């Protein structure tokens, strides 16, 4: 092999290595700290989200701002943190959440008598007639799926510690016909 050809191959390999390192330096931090993909599984958020929908999750916002009531979030399941769920925030830290015959009431400092949650994203056919009352600690959230009849959520496994919140859906990419920014909000 001629020295000129060897230099070309060597330069080509150096460029590939350099490109790979630069790509990794950009992609890895974004994937770890800014955004990550998520595929919806299950019926707990029907009709807001359906099985097979592909989302990009914003992991940065909740490091800068607190989650708000009715935000849709992606979370790590507290009983198995390697599993991810998608749910809607119903109760905020320090509040009391109660449900009577399927109607959710929130009691907090601003509304000591309580107010009824509108939850217009839940159709009558997807509501349950459960009754419960739970008070949340300073770092706890109460989450439920929009399809209350098919959702494993805080009613089953208790309040969600803030540390399990991954982020919020930034964009729904698939199916293309339902592509949207901040889906479920």
């Amino acid at each position: 092999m001629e020295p000129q050809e060897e230099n070309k191959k060597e330069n080509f390999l150096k460029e590939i290595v350099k490109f790979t390192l630069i790509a990794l330096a950009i992609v890895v931090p974004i994937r770890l700290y800014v955004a990550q993909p998520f595929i919806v599984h299950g019926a707990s958020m029907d009709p807001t989200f359906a099985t097979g929908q592909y989302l990009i999750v914003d992991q940065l916002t909740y490091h800068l701002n607190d989650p708000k009531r009715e935000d849709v979030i992606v979370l790590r399941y507290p009983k198995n943190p390697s599993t991810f769920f998608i749910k809607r925030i119903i109760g905020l830290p320090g509040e009391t959440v109660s449900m009577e015959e399927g109607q959710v009431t929130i009691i907090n400092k601003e509304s000591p008598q309580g107010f009824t949650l509108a939850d217009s994203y839940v159709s009558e056919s997807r509501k349950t007639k459960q009754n419960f009352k739970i008070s949340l600690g300073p770092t706890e959230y109460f989450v439920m799926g929009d399809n209350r009849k098919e959702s494993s959520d805080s009613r089953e496994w208790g309040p969600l510690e803030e540390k399990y919140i991954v982020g919020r859906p930034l964009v729904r990419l698939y199916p293309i016909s339902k592509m949207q920014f901040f889906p479920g909000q």
Side-chain angles (χ1 to χ4, degrees):
M1 208 181 282
E2 292 182 31
Q4 204 172 31
E5 238 179 85
E6 231 176 84
N7 281 343
K8 282 183 183 179
K9 282 184 181 180
E10 192 175 301
N11 285 340
F12 179 72
L13 286 174
K14 283 181 182 177
E15 289 300 314
I16 286 177
V17 169
K18 190 186 322 180
F19 174 80
T20 302
L21 291 174
I22 290 170
L24 287 173
I26 293 169
V27 171
V28 169
I30 288 173
R31 172 67 171 78
L32 290 175
Y33 302 109
V34 179
Q36 71 171 291
F38 177 77
I39 298 175
V40 178
H41 295 286
S44 75
M45 287 297 287
D46 281 347
T48 311
F49 295 95
T51 294
Q53 291 185 345
Y54 188 89
L55 310 174
I56 299 297
V57 177
D58 162 19
Q59 300 179 116
L60 192 57
T61 295
Y62 293 142
H63 290 287
L64 306 172
N65 301 303
D66 292 331
K68 295 176 181 42
R69 185 179 337 280
E70 299 188 350
D71 281 1
V72 173
I73 61 168
V74 171
L75 60 105
R76 290 182 180 277
Y77 178 44
K79 292 186 176 187
N80 180 1
S82 66
T83 301
F84 294 86
F85 284 176
I86 183 168
K87 304 292 175 197
R88 189 177 297 273
I89 294 177
I90 303 300
L92 302 173
E95 295 183 331
T96 297
V97 179
S98 69
M99 181 183 267
E100 287 186 37
E101 294 299 309
Q103 188 62 58
V104 178
T105 302
I106 305 293
I107 300 166
N108 57 24
K109 289 178 186 172
E110 295 79 25
S111 300
Q113 300 303 315
F115 66 91
T116 301
L117 192 63
D119 63 10
S120 58
Y121 39 81
V122 181
S123 68
E124 284 302 316
S125 66
R126 289 183 160 84
K127 288 187 176 185
T128 63
K129 300 296 180 194
Q130 290 177 298
N131 296 312
F132 65 82
K133 187 172 188 175
I134 188 166
S135 295
L136 303 173
T139 61
E140 295 178 330
Y141 291 83
F142 194 87
V143 297
M144 288 197 283
D146 290 357
N147 185 357
R148 304 276 161 81
K149 289 183 177 179
E150 299 291 327
S151 182
S152 170
D153 52 39
S154 289
R155 295 171 295 164
E156 184 180 317
W157 34 263
L160 177 71
E161 280 288 335
E162 185 175 40
K163 67 182 180 182
Y164 292 111
I165 297 174
V166 174
R168 64 183 181 156
L170 176 63
V171 63
R172 178 177 11 218
L173 291 176
Y174 182 83
I176 293 174
S177 62
K178 294 202 178 244
M179 188 181 294
Q180 148 184 39
F181 284 98
F182 303 108
Q185 305 300 327

